[in-house]
Amino acid sequence: MITPGWKFITAIPDGEPFYLDGINIWDFKWQNTNETIEVKDPLYQQDFVLDIYKINAVGKDIVFAAGEFSNCIWGIYQKN
């Protein structure tokens, strides 16, 4: 089952600069919220369970789900 209310943002190589709300997610410590979502990789249609993370930067929380789709390739999702 795919968790409703979340949308695919991108798939990126590990460490490649990627910005959410103007913040490069690799520049900050990801805080695991101990929550997960279920998604389907949009390219290969494989099912994944991704952890939900929070970054606190510039006085705001940025929440996203992330996980490795393949070796060093990360899928990133955000709430709709």
Side-chain angles (χ1 to χ4, degrees), residues 18-61:
F18 180 73
Y19 295 84
L20 289 175
D21 297 335
I23 302 299
N24 181 4
I25 64 173
W26 303 110
D27 288 345
F28 293 86
K29 179 171 174 47
W30 298 6
Q31 300 170 20
N32 192 318
T33 65
N34 296 314
E35 298 176 89
T36 61
I37 63 169
E38 295 180 29
V39 301
K40 189 175 289 285
D41 173 355
L43 184 59
Y44 296 108
Q45 302 301 303
Q46 184 176 350
D47 294 327
F48 289 93
V49 175
L50 304 183
D51 289 319
I52 298 174
Y53 296 97
K54 176 174 69 173
I55 293 173
N56 184 278
V58 294
K60 64 180 174 179
D61 287 336

